[in-house]
Amino acid sequence: MQHQPVPAGPDAGREFVLTVSCPDQRGIVHAVTGVALDLAMTIVDSQQFADASSGEFHLRMHLAREGEPLDVAEVEAAVAPLAQRFAMTAAVHDLARRPRVLVLVSRQGHCLNDVLFRVQTGSLPIEVPAIVSNHEDFRELAAWHGVPFHHVPVTPATKPAAEDELRRLVREHDADTIALARYMQVLSPQLCADFPGRVINIHHSLLPSFKGAKPYTQAHDRGVKVIGATAHYVTEDLDEGPIIEQDFRRVDHRMTPAELASVGQELEAMAFARALRWHAEHRVVLRGRRTIVFD
Amino acid sequence: MQHQPVPAGPDAGREFVLTVSCPDQRGIVHAVTGVALDLAMTIVDSQQFADASSGEFHLRMHLAREGEPLDVAEVEAAVAPLAQRFAMTAAVHDLARRPRVLVLVSRQGHCLNDVLFRVQTGSLPIEVPAIVSNHEDFRELAAWHGVPFHHVPVTPATKPAAEDELRRLVREHDADTIALARYMQVLSPQLCADFPGRVINIHHSLLPSFKGAKPYTQAHDRGVKVIGATAHYVTEDLDEGPIIEQDFRRVDHRMTPAELASVGQELEAMAFARALRWHAEHRVVLRGRRTIVFD
Amino acid sequence: MQHQPVPAGPDAGREFVLTVSCPDQRGIVHAVTGVALDLAMTIVDSQQFADASSGEFHLRMHLAREGEPLDVAEVEAAVAPLAQRFAMTAAVHDLARRPRVLVLVSRQGHCLNDVLFRVQTGSLPIEVPAIVSNHEDFRELAAWHGVPFHHVPVTPATKPAAEDELRRLVREHDADTIALARYMQVLSPQLCADFPGRVINIHHSLLPSFKGAKPYTQAHDRGVKVIGATAHYVTEDLDEGPIIEQDFRRVDHRMTPAELASVGQELEAMAFARALRWHAEHRVVLRGRRTIVFD
Amino acid sequence: MQHQPVPAGPDAGREFVLTVSCPDQRGIVHAVTGVALDLAMTIVDSQQFADASSGEFHLRMHLAREGEPLDVAEVEAAVAPLAQRFAMTAAVHDLARRPRVLVLVSRQGHCLNDVLFRVQTGSLPIEVPAIVSNHEDFRELAAWHGVPFHHVPVTPATKPAAEDELRRLVREHDADTIALARYMQVLSPQLCADFPGRVINIHHSLLPSFKGAKPYTQAHDRGVKVIGATAHYVTEDLDEGPIIEQDFRRVDHRMTPAELASVGQELEAMAFARALRWHAEHRVVLRGRRTIVFD
């Protein structure tokens, strides 16, 4: 189903995102922009955050190269002396390289369908090399989008083996990110630790409210007047990972848990898509339990 | 400060709100509207909710009397046979009688100021017979609005005596509702039990997230992307009472706890005012931990 | 693609929606509920609106029949005397009969994709007997969902013939509603007049702002801080028809018209789906340029 | 009424906002941060926008001086060579100097009351040297806040004289900004031209919808499902000036124009306060009919 032309990203070596974190001090931006000047790069966008509470400085700079293309290593080499001087954590990303996101799903398909539609129409700059599910429901949908589908059933007894298979699929498909698009299995602590900051989950509540199972039923029972969805990085602590995005909507007493779930599906799909896009565009900085999002 | 004319409510005996709760069954609305017809009343508004999960039926009917005014007892007498027949909890309220709301406040005045402004300009149909505070900060503001101000300091040692004084002030001012407009003292279980469904608090978080102290700091530390405020009835379980209203807004990583608090003040004032208005207009039905709001 | 079980609606003859409009007067609800009692029907939901400005009364009652099923004609016959007595416009709908919605689309597929996904997963209670487009882009998508696809190209010269073909398709597919899911042709006044209150369009602005072409570009040029989408009934006056639903979101100066359009697609799909659902459930009452939505 | 301590701003000469607009080109940020370094200034916050459609670059930099305080002229002198080199429009503001905002109001006091409360509690960093009104309603409120109140009646015949008096009051109170807090007189083109980018109005609709008189009535008649308020700079074209901020909320068919107005008052007060704060903090860049808001 490629009837619509997918917008191409930039050519390789033309557009880069530089992300920097370091102790705040005078001269950082001057030095970084000096490197950009030396590399004949224009600043397309730049966002920064000086966190007064931690004393840290964070920067995301989107740079466009004029003249001959560069490769990431050349940009990294130019940045390296600054990293040394300012005790920086710095990273350089060529925007021509889209993240390869392995999508996991169980039996609720709204987030998967939404992601695939956005990828197909070019509004979500990721590659989906494969879909993995513990059920067979979405094999056809995957085929329709031309994406390989892997059925990896999970039972308590087979969970370690299933997670080994998942690791193998990550390698096979050269995936750098795992997206849990309503995947109803809890990942083991070891698996979470294997992919820090690389697994994004969508939880169907406004965390920290209503962790765990059946959040819409919990929300109904508590009688809240707003529900929401939370996209977050997965850590070993279930539903405690750093929040990337939340969406939300007003509800009222008339809505059953099933109706809350129906409204919530829209919120889940939107929060999940934004989180994936921001992750893909290197807009998210992880700081402990919090994120900085240069949206 | 009465430079603006306060819109008058209806004359006594002209407009009534009838609220009904009973097991759901056929014939309820037919019977209730039959009573209204007998009393020569027109239905201004009617809202109902058949709760499939509990089997209960709830109704709020706003009725306007043509011809001679009636008093509440006459309407109650007409409804009484139905209450018997349908095992109803029924109540009749004359809209000419506005609730008398004792407002308690500590040192943050935004909700108090907002309530007083709304009462003064006629957009909140309550009477405020007095303001009570454990601090002196708002004595002048109260005076400006012509409302008696009572300073009732509270220390751990004097808390029982202070609560006795509070009970006395409720009686003295013939108050039927207590509104905690950022009153930073936890009411004792006994006081909560004394006024069930009659004490409304505004909590500065989207409950059930961030109960207890310093919710904006908690929200900041957890890195949520939305904050809110919750107006709820007070019960013995702190921050666990039935939610009447919530308001909310998107926030981002740049906002300090103080900035979250500043944005939150707007949300608190709005949620609080709506909850007070709905309470005053008999739009809120309490069912366990949940509310039905016929807004 | 029917891998997910579609929730069935109610059986025929079991659940009805009764809608009533008439001059407001005493006794209407009593009389209508009397009919429901006579038919051994329970009120699942009832919403009413006494419009003080026009003197009109509007009612939507969702009724469930116990015992033997009834057909629409029997319910209509029971209501008929009331219609006479109160000068009512009344209609009875069996909820087992889902509206048949012919979907028209041009080259933007987000609303179409969203509608088809919702229909497939059972969250939108309509039938889509066919898709019509002036382009070929979505033939495959239609086939994937098992829905007939008709390509009806339109040029200025062929427009009358194309509209005749459209009328023929409405008859062929026994459609009662036409949904313009980003269909970029203006319907002729005659066609609009042929299907009053039966054609629903999604316009990509917060009407009445930014009527006509390129609303996201207009919004960008005007520098608004919120954009939205409007689902409305189509009338002869372009973008002037009665509004059913609007959705909206905050935007800022950084967003290009293309980025506004991308955000707007989410709003369009949500507003459109809600409007279709409310229409399908007989929740929308048309009153001149306004709608009453018993949502 | 100064019972609450008003948070002080920074000391003079310690914190500056530098705003820059110029044709986009390489080297701007490097040069500007070079100046900041030379002046021993730390970047507290920096936001920029390269407008691809116009080729312009805009920057707002919040700088903190360490060591001895500086005055604005010294910073301006340091920036001057860059302004020359990059064809910049540049401005330097000492944050210790709060804008002096003359507030005009007619008979609706909600925006005035909100602004005064925010100024009094320190959450809005402006000075209000005087209030001007064509009515007497708020003389007492002004007195209560210790702000001079000037009654300047306006009739068609006296309008030129009234505007002269307004100009005189601007001079007398050394005001740099005029805020129309629901001031129901249209300013003459000449007056608008006299204070370009210095007059902020709150209009009670989501512009460009419902310009002119009675926007809530217009909104009701059109049957919109969302209403809003727009804070904008005043230009000679009524309700056409550049938008600074909009706030909005969902409404439904049950709300009368008066109820829309009541809800709208909250939106007006919030949008107005944010616009005033952003203006006061030099966060708003005026570009033709649009604004860039570095919020």
Side-chain angles (χ1 to χ4, degrees), chain A residues 1 3-4 47 107 109-110 113 117-118 123 137-138 140-141 144 249 254 266 270 274 295, chain C residues 1 3-4 47 107 109-110 113 117-118 137-138 140-141 144 249 254 262 266 270 274 295:
Chain A
M1 185 165 87
H3 44 261
Q4 295 189 328
Q47 294 183 68
R107 309 201 66 179
H110 51 283
N113 183 67
F117 181 78
R118 288 174 194 265
S123 72
D137 303 57
F138 299 111
E140 275 184 75
L141 180 65
W144 165 247
R249 193 169 307 155
R254 298 175 302 168
E266 295 179 347
M270 290 191 293
R274 284 198 285 273
D295 70 338
Chain C
M1 186 166 86
H3 44 261
Q4 295 189 329
Q47 294 183 68
R107 309 201 65 179
H110 51 284
N113 183 67
F117 181 79
R118 288 175 194 263
D137 304 56
F138 300 111
E140 274 184 76
L141 180 65
W144 165 246
R249 194 169 308 155
R254 299 174 302 167
S262 180
E266 295 179 347
M270 290 190 294
R274 284 198 286 270
D295 69 341

Side-chain angles (χ1 to χ4, degrees), chain B residues 22 33 52 54 63-64 74 84 183 213 218 222 230 232 234 254 278 284 293:
Chain B
C22 62
T33 52
S54 69
L63 297 163
E74 291 172 283
Q84 178 81 6
Y183 182 66
Q218 291 184 57
R222 184 62 187 88
T230 303
H232 64 96
V234 171
R254 298 175 302 168
W278 292 338
V284 189
V293 180

Side-chain angles (χ1 to χ4, degrees), chain A residues 133-151:
Chain A
S133 181
N134 54 334
H135 293 278
E136 285 282 5
D137 303 57
F138 299 111
R139 182 177 292 280
E140 275 184 75
L141 180 65
W144 165 247
H145 281 276
V147 177
F149 179 89
H150 302 276
H151 180 210

Side-chain angles (χ1 to χ4, degrees), chain D residues 155-235:
Chain D
T155 65
T158 65
K159 184 158 176 172
E163 293 202 340
D164 283 344
E165 174 65 3
L166 193 58
R167 286 186 188 87
R168 197 192 61 74
L169 289 167
V170 168
R171 286 192 303 273
E172 174 186 328
H173 291 289
D174 192 21
D176 44 51
T177 302
I178 297 172
L180 308 182
R182 298 299 305 274
Y183 181 68
M184 306 312 279
Q185 294 289 325
V186 176
L187 303 190
S188 70
Q190 185 56 52
L191 195 70
C192 296
D194 288 352
F195 302 102
R198 294 171 56 194
V199 185
I200 296 174
N201 183 46
I202 182 72
H203 182 76
H204 36 316
S205 81
L206 275 182
L207 290 176
S209 288
F210 310 131
K211 300 173 197 174
K214 296 189 177 296
Y216 293 123
T217 299
Q218 291 185 57
H220 179 266
D221 293 349
R222 184 61 187 89
V224 292
K225 304 303 184 187
V226 54
I227 62 165
T230 304
H232 64 95
Y233 287 113
V234 172
T235 63

Side-chain angles (χ1 to χ4, degrees), chain A residues 168-207:
Chain A
R168 198 191 61 72
L169 288 168
V170 168
R171 287 191 302 272
E172 175 187 327
H173 290 289
D174 193 20
D176 44 52
T177 302
I178 297 171
L180 309 181
R182 297 299 306 273
Y183 181 67
M184 306 311 281
Q185 294 288 325
V186 176
L187 304 190
S188 70
Q190 185 55 52
L191 194 69
C192 295
D194 289 352
F195 302 101
R198 294 171 57 194
V199 184
I200 295 174
N201 183 46
I202 182 72
H203 183 76
H204 37 317
S205 81
L206 275 183
L207 290 176

